[in-house]
Amino acid sequence: MKSVAGMIVVFIGLYFIAYSDVIGFFAHKTLLYIALGLCVFMLLAAAAFLGTPFSKPLIKRRGDDNDKDSNVS
């Protein structure tokens, strides 16, 4: 019975999306460019914070200098 109630909520949400034309709003080109720009920015931020397989992180995190095997490559 819980899954039936969940599906009813999902279908009400889909009806709301179709009725309010949210998809039409997301179809604007400017929104596409903003979303692509945000994705690229977040990927670069993640690469700077976490590092890449070929480099160390650009941002120094707490405890990184306490690693005992940090000089081992």
Side-chain angles (χ1 to χ4, degrees):
M1 197 64 173
K2 192 175 181 182
S3 63
V4 172
M7 287 310 297
I8 289 172
V9 170
V10 167
F11 282 121
I12 289 172
L14 288 174
Y15 176 76
F16 175 74
I17 289 172
Y19 181 73
S20 64
D21 198 29
V22 173
I23 304 298
F25 172 71
F26 286 130
H28 291 289
K29 282 214 182 239
T30 54
L31 193 66
L32 172 70
Y33 295 140
I34 290 171
L36 286 175
L38 285 174
C39 287
V40 168
F41 175 75
M42 290 309 292
L43 283 173
L44 291 174
F49 184 71
L50 300 173
T52 63
F54 307 108
S55 68
K56 292 183 178 180
L58 294 175
I59 300 170
K60 192 86 165 142
R61 292 179 293 186
R62 282 189 295 165
D64 280 348
D65 47 343
N66 293 333
D67 290 338
K68 291 186 168 94
D69 57 352
S70 62
N71 58 356
V72 176
S73 301

